[in-house]
Amino acid sequence: MTVSDPAGQDWTGTQLYETITVTSNSCSTDVFPVPTSAPNPFTVGAGGAAFGVSKDPTTNVIWDLHYTTLQPDGLTVAGQTSCTQVATQSYSCRGTTLGNTFVITRQFTKDTINSVSVTRVALTKQLQ
Protein backbone atom coordinates (compact mmCIF):
# COMPACT_ATOMS: atom_id res chain seq x y z
CA MET A 1 0.00 0.00 0.00
CA THR A 2 1.42 3.39 -0.95
CA VAL A 3 1.73 6.13 1.67
CA SER A 4 1.63 9.60 0.14
CA ASP A 5 0.56 13.21 0.51
CA PRO A 6 0.14 16.13 -1.93
CA ALA A 7 3.60 17.53 -1.03
CA GLY A 8 5.34 14.28 -2.03
CA GLN A 9 7.09 13.81 1.33
CA ASP A 10 9.23 10.72 1.96
CA TRP A 11 7.56 8.89 4.87
CA THR A 12 10.25 6.18 5.23
CA GLY A 13 10.60 5.07 8.86
CA THR A 14 7.19 6.41 9.95
CA GLN A 15 5.17 3.93 11.99
CA LEU A 16 1.52 3.34 11.09
CA TYR A 17 -1.01 1.44 13.16
CA GLU A 18 -3.87 -0.59 11.75
CA THR A 19 -7.35 -0.82 13.25
CA ILE A 20 -9.70 -3.57 12.10
CA THR A 21 -13.27 -3.65 13.38
CA VAL A 22 -15.54 -6.58 12.53
CA THR A 23 -18.94 -5.27 11.40
CA SER A 24 -20.66 -8.57 10.55
CA ASN A 25 -19.81 -12.26 10.83
CA SER A 26 -21.95 -15.25 9.83
CA CYS A 27 -19.05 -17.70 10.29
CA SER A 28 -18.57 -20.07 13.21
CA THR A 29 -15.93 -18.42 15.41
CA ASP A 30 -14.90 -21.90 16.60
CA VAL A 31 -13.52 -22.63 13.12
CA PHE A 32 -13.07 -19.22 11.44
CA PRO A 33 -11.06 -16.69 13.48
CA VAL A 34 -12.29 -13.13 13.10
CA PRO A 35 -9.96 -10.63 11.41
CA THR A 36 -7.76 -8.71 13.83
CA SER A 37 -5.49 -5.68 13.69
CA ALA A 38 -1.78 -6.21 13.12
CA PRO A 39 -0.05 -6.77 16.50
CA ASN A 40 2.82 -4.40 15.61
CA PRO A 41 2.98 -1.13 13.71
CA PHE A 42 3.87 -1.06 10.03
CA THR A 43 7.10 0.81 9.26
CA VAL A 44 6.84 2.76 6.02
CA GLY A 45 9.56 1.74 3.58
CA ALA A 46 10.45 -1.51 5.35
CA GLY A 47 10.46 -4.85 3.60
CA GLY A 48 8.27 -7.72 4.62
CA ALA A 49 7.89 -11.47 4.39
CA ALA A 50 5.17 -14.06 4.87
CA PHE A 51 4.83 -17.69 3.88
CA GLY A 52 8.26 -17.70 2.27
CA VAL A 53 7.58 -14.67 0.04
CA SER A 54 9.79 -11.62 0.62
CA LYS A 55 8.93 -8.04 -0.30
CA ASP A 56 11.80 -5.60 -0.81
CA PRO A 57 12.00 -2.32 1.11
CA THR A 58 10.25 0.29 -1.04
CA THR A 59 10.02 4.04 -0.45
CA ASN A 60 6.60 5.09 0.89
CA VAL A 61 5.16 1.56 0.83
CA ILE A 62 3.84 -0.71 3.59
CA TRP A 63 3.27 -4.41 2.98
CA ASP A 64 -0.11 -5.21 4.56
CA LEU A 65 -0.88 -8.88 3.97
CA HIS A 66 -4.33 -10.39 4.52
CA TYR A 67 -4.46 -14.13 5.00
CA THR A 68 -6.63 -16.81 6.54
CA THR A 69 -5.38 -20.11 7.88
CA LEU A 70 -7.88 -22.85 8.60
CA GLN A 71 -8.54 -26.51 8.04
CA PRO A 72 -8.87 -27.43 4.34
CA ASP A 73 -12.62 -27.94 4.76
CA GLY A 74 -13.55 -25.54 7.53
CA LEU A 75 -17.16 -25.16 6.41
CA THR A 76 -17.88 -28.88 6.81
CA VAL A 77 -16.31 -28.78 10.29
CA ALA A 78 -18.46 -25.73 11.11
CA GLY A 79 -21.62 -27.33 9.67
CA GLN A 80 -22.05 -24.48 7.17
CA THR A 81 -22.14 -24.29 3.35
CA SER A 82 -21.00 -20.66 3.22
CA CYS A 83 -20.35 -17.69 5.45
CA THR A 84 -19.08 -14.12 5.27
CA GLN A 85 -16.96 -11.86 7.48
CA VAL A 86 -16.95 -8.09 6.95
CA ALA A 87 -14.65 -5.63 8.72
CA THR A 88 -13.54 -2.02 8.39
CA GLN A 89 -9.85 -1.15 8.26
CA SER A 90 -8.12 2.15 8.90
CA TYR A 91 -4.59 3.35 9.57
CA SER A 92 -3.35 5.92 12.06
CA CYS A 93 -0.16 7.72 13.00
CA ARG A 94 0.39 9.37 16.38
CA GLY A 95 -3.34 9.00 17.16
CA THR A 96 -4.59 10.61 13.94
CA THR A 97 -6.54 8.50 11.42
CA LEU A 98 -4.98 8.71 7.98
CA GLY A 99 -6.69 8.63 4.61
CA ASN A 100 -9.67 6.48 3.82
CA THR A 101 -11.38 3.64 5.60
CA PHE A 102 -11.52 0.33 3.76
CA VAL A 103 -14.05 -2.51 3.88
CA ILE A 104 -12.56 -6.01 3.87
CA THR A 105 -14.93 -8.84 2.97
CA ARG A 106 -13.96 -12.49 3.31
CA GLN A 107 -16.39 -14.94 1.69
CA PHE A 108 -16.06 -18.65 2.38
CA THR A 109 -17.84 -21.16 0.12
CA LYS A 110 -17.95 -24.95 0.10
CA ASP A 111 -16.46 -26.60 -3.00
CA THR A 112 -14.57 -29.68 -4.17
CA ILE A 113 -11.21 -30.02 -5.90
CA ASN A 114 -10.44 -33.43 -7.43
CA SER A 115 -13.32 -34.93 -5.40
CA VAL A 116 -11.90 -33.52 -2.14
CA SER A 117 -14.16 -31.23 -0.11
CA VAL A 118 -12.58 -27.80 0.45
CA THR A 119 -13.47 -24.29 1.56
CA ARG A 120 -12.78 -21.57 -1.00
CA VAL A 121 -11.84 -18.12 0.31
CA ALA A 122 -12.43 -14.88 -1.60
CA LEU A 123 -11.17 -11.61 -0.13
CA THR A 124 -11.95 -8.11 -1.37
CA LYS A 125 -10.73 -4.76 -0.05
CA GLN A 126 -12.61 -1.65 -1.14
CA LEU A 127 -12.76 2.00 -0.17
CA GLN A 128 -15.69 2.67 2.16
Side-chain angles (χ1 to χ4, degrees), residues 29-114:
T29 55
D30 291 337
V31 178
F32 298 90
V34 294
T36 59
S37 303
N40 299 307
F42 295 98
T43 301
V44 178
F51 304 106
V53 177
S54 296
K55 297 293 185 179
D56 292 331
T58 305
T59 302
N60 288 342
V61 168
I62 60 170
W63 300 105
D64 184 5
L65 305 174
H66 298 270
Y67 60 89
T68 300
T69 56
L70 54 109
Q71 301 172 41
D73 191 13
L75 285 169
T76 296
V77 173
Q80 298 179 280
T81 57
S82 66
C83 66
T84 303
Q85 296 175 328
V86 180
T88 59
Q89 178 193 41
S90 61
Y91 298 94
S92 63
C93 180
R94 299 184 191 115
T96 300
T97 300
L98 306 173
N100 299 304
T101 297
F102 298 92
V103 176
I104 299 171
T105 303
R106 298 191 312 175
Q107 296 179 309
F108 303 90
T109 54
K110 192 166 180 51
D111 201 353
T112 58
I113 298 175
N114 294 327

